[in-house]
Amino acid sequence: MTATHVPGLPVIEDGQLISTNPATGEEAGRVPVADEKAVTAAVEQAREAAVWWQSRGWEGRKVRLLRWRTLLVERIEELAELARSESGKPINDGIVEVTAAVEHLDWAARNARRVLGPRRMRTRLLLAEHVGHLEYQPYGVVGVIGPWNYPIVTPIGPISGALAAGNAIVFKPSEYTPVVGQWLADSFAEIVPEQPVLRAVHGLGDVGGALCRSGVGKVSFTGSTATGKKVMAACAENLVPVVIEAGGKDALIVDADADVPAAAEAAVWGAMTNAGQTCIGIERVYAVEPVYDRFVQAVVEKAGKLRTGEEIGPITMPRQLEIIRDHIEDALARGGRAVLGGAEAVRAPYVAPTVLVDVPDDSSEIREETFGPTLTITRVRDAEEAIRKANDTPYGLGGSVFGKRDAVRIARRLRAGMVAVNGTLTFVGMGNLPFGGVGESGFGRIHGEDGLREFARPKAITVRRARSLLPAMTFERTPAQVRQIVKALRLLYGRRR
Ligand code: NDP
């Protein structure tokens, strides 16, 4: 039966978490709410499942992960439709999200053995009679806490790395998108029915807190910076390591030799896709003087064609509407101008595309994560000023540069974990590139080789193969042998270059 609720607001009724469509208030689905005991029990069961999962070996895990990948592709429309009904995301945005998730799953499955598998290490002088072995062992159970804005790809990033590394997972989806989270766990269980290798537990923030304290070996958190700090504090109680993928205030720089129409098109996509509810969404643009006017005009033209309820979905979390309105009003009150949209663009549950210029640097629209389809464009003298302003934020997630001659040099100087040159957000689609930020955007990486290593502990083993010729690490060494060691050291490392 379909009940109607306050659009977008999840409700708990009779031990069930009911999630709703933010555009219509229709029920999207319901899942059971876990308490602390249930979370601990899920982690205990996952611990046993992890032993079974590890014993499948690299090949056994790869085959099953690739089957899961194929299932996601087969049901891509179903999953995108579920994401739409729960978060309001337009179907095509959901399809793109599943596409990126599939890429990460495929890459992690195919590369885990190469990146994490056992290898021999070359011996060094002082221990020449030993051989070194390095391997990466799984943590056991990894807790994954996810946000609502990309309920498919944000958890699949750490889930695919952690599963490929040999861990079992207990996953706490956002209270706004629990049904998509449950769908992911259920679809995995279709491929791996033997053991609860990937389990979902549901509820509000306290369930995430319980997961941090439940004895998991590692926590991967994706969400806001404020909650990330709480997660870290909860994990610190038991010295549980964490990956924090938090918010951002990403900037795009348009240099003098940029392809202006292409930069405008990418800026509009980067800022407005998913109604701007994107951690790596473009929120600020710094355009150099010679291209500024043309760029603003092209952005306004392109963004003005986007329709709320079509390309621009609803704002998923109702209280975010207040934040978006506050930021726009603050920008206007401090002397900024709306060249498209404005405060009146906020009409629950939608926000129409809004482009602001002349916004002062101390405005919240420039300093804080807005998470809506708004974009500021600031005129700068040159790329130097653009870099300085782009970096003047406590966040450091992603960024973008449009230009030719100096674009990559500028990209290197942006204080961010990832930068797209002549594109926006593109780094999230490459399975072999690490994803993560600096500063208030968090630390640790998902995706790529770094994202696999994040979910395994390096283990070093040395094995003696012969008698020591230069025995240094023993009380049995003679003064003559110590002299030989010093001599060998001088020969090898003692010469100034
Ligand atoms: P939140 O920080 O509000 O929530 C994230 C998750 O943490 C949810 O599952 C939430 O549960 C849970 N949680 C809440 N309180 C606690 C707690 N005390 N202990 C443990 N877990 C808790 O973020 P949003 O869901 O609102 O997501 C939007 C934010 O995520 C934005 O800032 C965005 O930039 C960021 N983000 C970052 C990404 C990245 O990769 N860097 C990617 C995508 C988003 P519940 O929902 O039940 O409260």
Side-chain angles (χ1 to χ4, degrees):
M1 225 174 56
T2 324
T4 302
H5 301 272
V6 179
L9 264 195
V11 208
I12 292 185
E13 252 175 43
D14 302 328
Q16 301 270 307
L17 176 61
I18 304 171
S19 81
T20 64
N21 183 315
T24 63
E26 262 174 61
E27 179 178 329
R30 49 183 73 198
V31 291
V33 174
D35 57 13
E36 201 179 319
K37 237 172 90 187
V39 172
T40 310
V43 171
E44 284 309 316
Q45 286 165 9
R47 214 184 300 288
E48 279 177 36
V51 175
W52 177 85
W53 182 239
Q54 282 163 36
S55 69
R56 299 306 93 195
W58 300 108
E59 197 52 33
R61 292 196 293 272
K62 175 178 164 183
V63 167
R64 287 166 173 84
L65 289 173
L66 292 180
R67 277 191 208 137
W68 190 33
R69 171 213 61 186
T70 304
L71 183 152
L72 296 187
V73 176
E74 284 166 359
R75 301 209 200 141
I76 189 166
E77 287 90 0
E78 177 190 333
L79 184 50
E81 173 54 33
L82 197 58
R84 188 199 61 76
S85 73
E86 206 171 34
S87 72
K89 185 188 292 276
I91 287 284
N92 286 345
D93 286 357
I95 298 271
V96 172
E97 198 186 334
V98 184
T99 307
V102 163
E103 162 71 11
H104 295 299
L105 197 45
D106 183 81
W107 194 89
R110 290 183 189 283
N111 289 279
R113 180 187 218 143
R114 177 181 64 77
V115 178
L116 305 175
R119 73 214 58 190
R120 281 168 74 126
M121 306 302 280
R122 279 176 53 193
T123 47
R124 309 273 298 166
L125 171 76
L126 284 182
L127 292 164
E129 68 284 8
H130 291 254
V131 65
H133 293 269
L134 170 63
E135 64 186 63
Y136 292 84
Q137 298 182 342
Y139 280 93
V141 185
V142 169
V144 172
I145 300 175
W148 49 265
N149 62 334
Y150 285 86
I152 303 159
V153 71
T154 53
I156 290 249
I159 285 173
S160 44
L163 285 176
N167 301 280
I169 306 224
V170 178
F171 166 37
K172 152 71 177 79
S174 164
E175 72 201 56
Y176 290 91
T177 51
V179 180
V180 169
Q182 190 60 48
W183 191 97
L184 294 177
D186 290 346
S187 62
F188 183 79
E190 282 182 38
I191 304 296
V192 182
E194 298 94 332
Q195 292 272 348
V197 175
L198 168 59
R199 280 278 295 271
V201 290
H202 302 284
L204 309 185
D206 59 315
V207 175
L211 185 56
C212 296
R213 298 184 174 92
S214 64
V216 292
K218 183 147 189 169
V219 168
S220 175
F221 168 82
T222 308
S224 63
T225 302
T227 309
K229 290 177 184 177
K230 289 186 198 160
V231 164
M232 243 184 116
C235 287
E237 290 172 20
N238 299 305
L239 232 53
V240 173
V242 282
V243 182
I244 302 284
E245 298 289 350
K249 190 75 193 172
D250 293 1
L252 182 156
I253 292 176
V254 191
D255 205 3
D257 55 359
D259 176 339
V260 173
E265 193 273 312
V268 172
W269 157 257
M272 316 279 172
T273 184
N274 207 33
Q277 304 163 109
T278 304
C279 54
I280 47 170
I282 299 298
E283 299 213 350
R284 302 172 289 152
V285 175
Y286 296 102
V288 300
E289 183 77 56
V291 294
Y292 175 85
D293 289 329
R294 268 192 300 141
F295 178 79
V296 172
Q297 196 189 351
V299 165
V300 169
E301 202 177 291
K302 286 175 196 295
K305 290 187 184 142
L306 300 176
R307 297 154 299 170
T308 51
E310 299 290 335
E311 297 87 358
I312 306 290
I315 298 303
T316 306
M317 205 168 55
R319 69 170 186 275
Q320 194 67 27
L321 288 160
E322 289 305 309
I323 296 172
I324 299 168
R325 185 185 289 112
D326 283 355
H327 284 194
I328 297 173
E329 283 175 352
D330 183 63
L332 299 176
R334 287 167 191 264
R337 284 186 299 123
V339 286
L340 183 70
E344 66 283 3
V346 183
R347 265 179 261 121
Y350 296 100
V351 177
T354 291
V355 180
L356 302 159
V357 296
D358 301 336
V359 180
D361 290 343
D362 59 356
S363 158
S364 52
E365 182 70 44
I366 293 279
R367 304 213 62 79
E368 294 163 26
E369 190 178 46
T370 306
F371 233 51
T374 73
L375 187 65
T376 64
I377 309 177
T378 303
R379 186 196 302 264
V380 287
R381 222 175 20 255
D382 52 24
E384 278 307 313
E385 189 184 0
I387 295 169
R388 191 168 44 73
K389 283 184 183 284
N391 286 345
D392 185 19
T393 162
Y395 290 114
L397 193 53
S400 173
V401 182
F402 269 79
K404 294 187 183 75
R405 203 191 59 184
D406 295 327
V408 173
R409 271 192 289 274
I410 295 169
R412 291 206 173 97
R413 290 178 58 198
L414 286 184
R415 184 178 164 276
M418 304 147 302
V419 182
V421 171
N422 295 331
T424 47
L425 325 189
T426 38
F427 39 76
V428 73
M430 284 180 70
N432 53 0
L433 279 181
F435 186 99
V438 304
E440 297 263 313
S441 293
F443 55 85
R445 293 295 181 264
I446 55 172
H447 306 170
E449 296 192 2
D450 298 278
L452 282 168
R453 287 196 198 98
E454 198 69 64
F455 297 105
R457 297 185 179 99
K459 178 79 166 247
I461 298 172
T462 59
V463 178
R464 182 189 289 276
R465 286 301 168 104
R467 278 173 60 83
S468 302
L469 294 174
L470 293 175
M473 299 171 85
T474 167
F475 289 121
E476 310 281 305
R477 68 199 164 206
T478 64
Q481 285 169 329
V482 172
R483 280 198 296 280
Q484 271 184 317
I485 290 170
V486 172
K487 203 168 152 191
L489 215 56
R490 289 212 165 106
L491 258 173
L492 279 169
Y493 310 126
R495 265 174 278 182
R496 292 194 182 192
R497 282 169 170 266

